[in-house]
Amino acid sequence: MTTKILMIDDHPLQIEGYKSVLSFNAQNLQLQVTAAYNCESAYNIITGSTNLPEFDLVFLDRNLPPYKEKNIYSGDDLAQLIKIHHPKAKIVVLTSHSEPLMLYNIIKKVAPAGLLVKSDIDGEELLVAFEKILSGETYQSENVKKTIKLFLEKEMFLDAIDRQILGFIVNGTKTVNMPSLLNLSLSAIEKRKSKIKIYFGIDRGSDEDIIKAAKAEGFI
């Protein structure tokens, strides 16, 4: 049996490493691998209409050289194309990012069958992930699961409006200008800012202190 895989990563040696590891799969599956090293080549493969297999798996890096002409700037954008053109393919995101908000956004936007942080995995874990995903399971590396669990616990404290206010703070929006953007009174926004400071453990601090704490916690 042949398993058809599209591997997208801007490091050719990384792809060769994946191919080598997966060749030792327990089911002795034959692998037919197509490689892409940037968003443009990946776009052409994903949307091409001739001589392309129906991929079973797509191994996808998130950070890739963009294809600005088609507004493709990352693996997240490619994932949406994959879902349209290869709806049966299982997407496996392998990323160098371990920031909680980044991992959370990948899960929300891409909903991958697998999510692994490159620095956390070895060949053995990659094989385990490969076989579980092929069998229909969803796989996340242990650090991904722990990070997401902690992030969701924090997210329950800061609701969507709190996170909007945090976004405005990061972008430099003054508090006095937020009521017209959020349809809230100035006093309501000040109370929410106090809540955000409590969350980040800030006793008395400025917006700059909030930004520093949010960066340290991986929110931005």
Side-chain angles (χ1 to χ4, degrees), residues 5-160:
I5 306 174
L6 172 60
M7 293 186 177
I8 308 170
D9 196 297
D10 60 339
H11 297 95
L13 287 178
Q14 191 88 67
I15 290 179
E16 291 303 314
Y18 297 154
K19 288 165 63 176
S20 177
V21 169
L22 297 181
S23 68
F24 293 98
N25 68 84
Q27 301 176 52
N28 293 317
L29 298 170
Q30 296 298 311
L31 306 181
Q32 180 181 332
V33 176
T34 303
Y37 306 111
N38 52 53
C39 286
E40 181 174 359
S41 61
Y43 175 90
N44 291 332
I45 291 168
I46 293 164
T47 62
S49 58
T50 58
N51 301 320
L52 283 175
E54 182 64 36
F55 295 112
D56 301 299
L57 284 173
V58 179
F59 279 46
L60 178 62
D61 191 6
R62 187 176 183 280
N63 285 359
L64 296 161
Y67 186 20
K68 295 180 181 179
E69 292 82 350
K70 296 292 183 180
N71 294 317
I72 305 295
Y73 292 94
S74 70
D76 293 352
D77 297 327
L78 290 173
Q80 305 312 314
L81 285 175
I82 293 163
K83 291 179 180 182
I84 295 169
H85 294 276
H86 298 271
K88 294 181 181 179
K90 299 178 187 297
I91 299 174
V92 183
V93 176
L94 297 106
T95 178
S96 299
H97 291 281
S98 59
E99 299 91 340
L101 185 58
M102 184 73 72
L103 295 177
Y104 178 76
N105 283 338
I106 290 172
I107 291 173
K108 294 293 286 185
K109 293 178 181 178
V110 179
L115 176 56
L116 303 96
V117 175
K118 290 181 179 181
S119 60
D120 292 342
I121 63 171
D122 54 19
E124 184 177 350
E125 183 168 9
L126 183 60
L127 275 172
V128 170
F130 174 71
E131 289 163 7
K132 286 191 174 185
I133 291 165
L134 279 183
S135 69
E137 297 182 46
T138 299
Y139 189 90
Q140 295 175 353
S141 58
E142 283 302 314
N143 279 342
V144 170
K145 287 190 283 189
K146 290 176 184 177
T147 300
I148 294 300
K149 181 177 182 294
L150 289 172
F151 183 84
L152 290 175
E153 289 172 356
K154 294 174 181 177
E155 191 188 46
M156 291 174 67
F157 187 86
L158 295 181
D159 64 21

Side-chain angles (χ1 to χ4, degrees), residues 165-173 178 207 210-211 214-215 220:
I165 292 172
L166 180 58
F168 287 138
I169 293 171
V170 170
N171 290 329
T173 304
M178 292 185 193
D207 286 359
I210 293 175
I211 294 170
K215 286 181 178 178
I220 56 177

